[in-house]
Amino acid sequence: QVQLVESGGGLVQPGGSLRLSCTASGSIVDFEAMGWYRQAPGKQRELVATVSNADTTTYADSVKDRFTISRDNGKNTVYLEMSSLKPADTGVYFCNGHRWSWSGRIEYWGQGTQVTVSS
């Protein structure tokens, strides 16, 4: 069973930058896609960005041109580079990944890391 562990969250001022990391306890080579989600207080979890095993990326409109997702299969790690941060980016950021097995789609989630954007 692969476990995902996020790191890199913290408190940052508006306009600042952070880099989140998500390290898997096993190989992510066969993960079809990895992604980051976030959940603000009182709101539903929303998709932030995804990266496929072909390095195709997608982004929520709210983070385009500010966030960059990437994956390093050799390090079993997915990154989320965040810049020009806004208070609206505050929330718990969760790493996600999925792969396929004979039994179907298997989803994996990390425990989350808090990002707070505030002056």
Side-chain angles (χ1 to χ4, degrees):
Q1 180 79 353
V2 175
Q3 294 186 337
L4 304 179
V5 179
E6 302 96 336
S7 61
L11 173 64
V12 63
Q13 292 188 339
S17 300
L18 277 177
R19 186 175 84 157
L20 304 183
S21 299
C22 169
T23 301
S25 59
S27 175
I28 62 171
V29 169
D30 62 344
F31 277 57
E32 182 176 54
M34 303 288 298
W36 289 93
Y37 290 69
R38 67 186 180 192
Q39 187 166 20
K43 294 188 177 181
Q44 290 190 334
R45 192 173 297 189
E46 63 173 354
L47 177 65
V48 175
T50 66
V51 57
S52 75
N53 54 12
D55 284 331
T56 300
T57 57
T58 65
Y59 296 93
D61 287 342
S62 60
V63 307
K64 277 181 182 176
D65 300 324
R66 298 189 299 121
F67 290 12
T68 302
I69 188 171
S70 61
R71 63 192 284 173
D72 185 335
N73 288 342
K75 294 183 179 180
N76 299 324
T77 300
V78 178
Y79 303 98
L80 186 68
E81 298 272 3
M82 306 185 294
S83 62
S84 301
L85 283 162
K86 307 173 182 180
D89 295 316
T90 294
V92 179
Y93 283 68
F94 297 91
C95 181
N96 166 269
H98 77 266
R99 62 182 181 87
W100 294 91
S101 76
W102 63 270
S103 61
R105 177 175 166 135
I106 304 175
E107 205 84 21
Y108 297 87
W109 289 94
Q111 294 295 314
T113 185
Q114 177 70 45
V115 172
T116 303
V117 184
S118 175
S119 54

